[in-house]
Amino acid sequence: MKLRNLTAAVFVMFLLPALLTAQNENVDLAMIYKIKQEGLKYSQIEELAFGLTDLTGPRLTGSTGMTRGNEWAKKKMEELGFQNVRIEAACDFSKPGWDNLKTYAAMTAPYYSNFACNPVAWTGSTNGLVKGEVVLVDIKSEEDMTKYKGKLSGKIVLLPSTAQYEVSFEPLASRYTDAQLADMAKRSEGRSGRRPRMDFAQYAAMRALRNKISEFLSNEGAAVLLNSSGTFNVPRSNSVSYKKGEKEPLAQLNLPVEAHGRMERILKHNLPVEMEIEIQNKFFDSPTVYNVIGEIPGTDKILKNEVVMIGAHIDSWHGGTGAADNASGCIVMMEALRILKAIDAAPKRTIRVALWGGEEEGYLGSRGYADKYLVDPKTKEHKPDYDKFAGYFNMDNGSGRYRGIYLQENDVIRPVFEEWMKPFEDMGVTTISPNNTSGTDHVTFNGIGLPGFQFIQDAIEYGRGYHTVMDTYERLVMEDLKYNAVITAVFAYNAAMRTAKIPAKPVMKPRPESERPGF
């Protein structure tokens, strides 16, 4: 074949369909103008932020705070005029309900110093105010437990630190540079960010040993277990592996590396350390994970039965008020739908907002939704709503401004998103990454063959507030959230107005993981 003919063939096969797709995108600039005006001049972001942080507090899955957050979100959606608003059961929850009622910790010898601290979720309480000696317990294997047998009753146990603070010369808050965004726009080689298998094995072994240590200390009658978790005197939030019906776990407390390290160094100098600690936690029945859902119904006689979804997870950890992770995403999604409602948008398809429960415990809310409406979890057969699903957009990367979107390797949608993003170039939304990003609810929909997307966001200071007691209202960058709501509203509206649904990835012949090179 002549080169000229070959070039023409390549154009017809690969480039022409993409160009036609882009040309067929009917981007309504008048509607985008209205969305920008409403979203940037009459925003309710700050009021929504107050409601889902300061007013409702932290929203640990299965806690009374989670119930409070769900009820607030439902009421606010109704006030904003959304339709079919409901708090909907997603799935059963394997853990009981858990609330922290009181936490106090201080070193009393060799001198007094009160400590910032955070209880480990789903651990038990102390027997009132515990005063006593701190013991450094170094267990690297099950065999090491024998040397501590009979010596820990009533003791406050300090495990050696697993983290060490290192001075960082990087700014606490930052935005993506042009060079970083250009790098993100390139296709990554290899395993798309997956961990090597050995990491999972090591983590599982570490977790198993940790559980055995906790069980051993509980059986020995230790009073409380102290962990090193967090920096800048800011303790982190996490939980234990605990299910309903099991023995109540030993009280555990997270101390930042500064407090933990101070006591560890004193003990290693053979000097006594004493503390007083009081933790009050409450367990109760909470068997269900819930989602909060509202929508603007579609107006087209046929297309109104198809659904464009926008969403974020409403659950958080128990430290702070879950502001950046992920009240920020929830209020952006609610504000996006509010904007469309306020300007009397009449989308052809239904636009539905979902605030997912239980994301931190494994995407429980979104998976429950998918099981209920989209794919049978046992037979894998498609349910009636599967073919009515017209795309999903998610936010869960903190409070930073959108800079683009991840394609999740769905190259078919690239020319569409390029057209949609053109009106926002002046707002810095220019990057399309062909790669996968994971760790939040869009993964649920990608996993069943439906188009789900996560926006690229500036990190700001997400790493400092992520899963710590610092994740509060102050972490929210209100101007960025206003921009995000505007862009989300436009993406949702465009998806709802297209002649065809957002295309999913073409179906590939199933292949085992083991056939991948380097697996």
Side-chain angles (χ1 to χ4, degrees):
M1 183 181 289
K2 292 182 179 179
L3 180 61
R4 182 177 59 190
N5 293 337
L6 178 61
T7 302
V10 170
F11 178 82
V12 171
M13 289 175 61
F14 296 105
L15 301 182
L16 184 58
L19 291 174
L20 291 175
T21 301
Q23 290 171 356
N24 290 335
E25 285 305 306
N26 183 21
V27 177
D28 188 341
L29 295 179
M31 179 59 70
I32 292 175
Y33 171 84
K34 292 180 181 180
I35 290 172
K36 284 184 175 180
Q37 293 296 305
E38 176 64 30
L40 299 180
K41 292 184 177 179
Y42 305 100
S43 173
Q44 292 189 22
I45 281 288
E46 292 187 17
E47 187 62 24
L48 292 171
F50 167 77
L52 201 52
T53 58
D54 297 337
L55 186 63
T56 65
R59 302 170 303 281
L60 183 73
T61 301
S63 69
T64 55
M66 183 74 266
T67 300
R68 195 162 52 240
N70 286 342
E71 291 174 349
W72 173 88
K74 178 178 181 292
K75 181 179 178 182
K76 180 57 67 173
M77 286 186 188
E78 291 170 340
E79 290 175 359
L80 295 174
F82 302 172
Q83 296 188 35
N84 301 321
V85 177
R86 68 243 190 221
I87 298 174
E88 182 176 276
C91 63
D92 291 338
F93 190 39
S94 63
K95 295 181 179 181
W98 184 89
D99 283 342
N100 173 239
L101 305 180
K102 183 177 182 179
T103 306
Y104 164 71
M107 183 175 71
T108 55
Y111 49 85
Y112 180 86
S113 180
N114 67 309
F115 290 148
C117 56
N118 195 25
V120 177
W122 290 287
T123 60
S125 305
T126 58
N127 186 15
L129 180 65
V130 174
K131 298 182 179 182
E133 179 186 3
V134 178
V135 178
L136 183 62
V137 173
D138 189 4
I139 299 176
K140 294 184 173 64
S141 66
E142 289 188 59
E143 290 73 25
D144 290 340
M145 296 179 189
T146 56
K147 61 185 177 183
Y148 296 104
K149 197 160 183 64
K151 299 178 182 179
L152 300 177
S153 179
K155 303 295 185 182
I156 298 169
V157 174
L158 185 80
L159 295 181
S161 178
T162 57
Q164 186 174 355
Y165 175 73
E166 295 183 4
V167 174
S168 171
F169 295 94
E170 299 298 324
L172 289 173
S174 62
R175 295 194 183 277
Y176 283 122
T177 64
D178 290 343
Q180 288 173 321
L181 290 170
D183 189 59
M184 294 175 74
K186 299 175 183 176
R187 186 173 298 278
S188 296
E189 298 296 330
R191 297 171 58 81
S192 300
R194 299 181 186 183
R195 294 188 194 184
R197 175 171 288 189
M198 183 57 69
D199 282 0
F200 285 114
Q202 290 174 344
Y203 175 79
M206 181 182 69
R207 187 85 180 192
L209 177 61
R210 183 52 189 261
N211 291 338
K212 288 177 181 177
I213 292 173
S214 298
E215 183 180 2
F216 169 73
L217 296 176
S218 180
N219 291 337
E220 289 295 305
V224 62
L225 173 60
L226 304 177
N227 307 307
S228 172
S229 182
T231 57
F232 292 102
N233 283 306
V234 177
R236 294 184 63 79
S237 296
N238 59 2
S239 68
V240 293
S241 299
Y242 174 63
K243 296 182 180 179
K244 289 179 287 190
E246 296 178 347
K247 179 183 176 183
E248 184 176 301
L250 174 69
Q252 292 190 36
L253 197 60
N254 281 343
L255 297 174
V257 296
E258 295 86 353
H260 185 281
R262 188 195 316 186
M263 291 193 294
E264 185 176 357
R265 290 187 294 272
I266 293 173
L267 288 168
K268 286 182 176 179
H269 279 77
N270 298 317
L271 298 172
V273 173
E274 295 179 3
M275 289 187 72
E276 55 184 25
I277 299 173
E278 184 172 8
I279 305 170
Q280 293 180 20
N281 297 324
K282 177 184 177 183
F283 291 87
F284 53 92
D285 289 336
S286 178
T288 307
V289 173
Y290 294 95
N291 300 321
V292 188
I293 296 172
E295 61 192 37
I296 296 178
T299 58
D300 185 89
K301 247 190 294 190
I302 297 173
L303 296 182
K304 67 180 180 181
N305 294 317
E306 296 181 354
V307 177
V308 174
M309 295 195 73
I310 58 176
H313 72 88
I314 190 171
D315 66 300
S316 75
W317 285 101
H318 53 294
T321 55
D325 187 19
N326 188 28
S328 60
C330 293
I331 62 180
V332 161
M333 297 303 163
M334 292 174 68
E335 171 71 357
L337 211 61
R338 183 204 69 80
I339 291 169
L340 294 174
K341 182 73 177 174
I343 62 174
D344 298 320
K348 293 179 179 180
R349 294 179 178 84
T350 295
I351 301 177
R352 180 175 297 162
V353 61
L355 309 184
W356 309 115
E359 187 269 355
E360 299 289 0
E361 278 67 52
Y363 321 145
L364 300 182
S366 57
R367 285 179 172 174
Y369 180 94
D371 291 347
K372 184 174 183 178
Y373 294 108
L374 303 174
V375 174
D376 187 291
K378 294 181 180 178
T379 67
K380 307 304 179 185
E381 292 182 358
H382 293 177
K383 295 189 174 185
D385 283 359
Y386 187 93
D387 292 329
K388 301 174 185 175
F389 190 90
Y392 174 70
F393 300 99
N394 192 80
M395 177 178 156
D396 185 19
N397 277 334
S399 180
R401 185 173 300 187
Y402 288 172
R403 305 301 299 277
I405 197 165
Y406 292 96
L407 291 183
Q408 300 299 126
E409 298 183 339
N410 185 356
D411 294 316
V412 181
I413 196 66
R414 176 185 286 275
V416 175
F417 286 168
E418 286 175 345
E419 291 299 307
W420 291 7
M421 286 168 53
K422 282 180 180 178
F424 300 105
E425 288 180 359
D426 61 329
M427 293 166 66
V429 185
T430 58
T431 304
I432 294 179
S433 173
N435 302 305
N436 288 318
T437 186
S438 60
T440 190
D441 290 292
H442 70 289
V443 170
T444 292
F445 304 101
N446 292 158
I448 56 176
L450 292 171
F453 304 95
Q454 169 84 358
F455 291 98
I456 299 169
Q457 292 177 252
D458 283 329
I460 309 297
E461 53 182 12
Y462 185 62
R464 186 160 57 143
Y466 172 77
H467 293 189
T468 78
V469 298
M470 281 185 63
D471 192 6
T472 60
Y473 183 95
E474 287 74 17
R475 305 288 81 74
L476 301 178
V477 184
M478 298 302 174
E479 289 304 310
D480 284 10
L481 298 180
K482 292 175 185 178
Y483 274 45
N484 295 356
V486 165
I487 295 161
T488 301
V490 170
F491 268 62
Y493 182 79
N494 286 347
M497 298 301 288
R498 296 186 85 237
T499 302
K501 293 183 297 183
I502 289 177
K505 298 176 191 176
V507 178
M508 297 286 291
K509 176 178 134 181
R511 300 284 290 276
E513 279 284 314
S514 58
E515 290 188 12
R516 289 194 178 195
F519 181 78

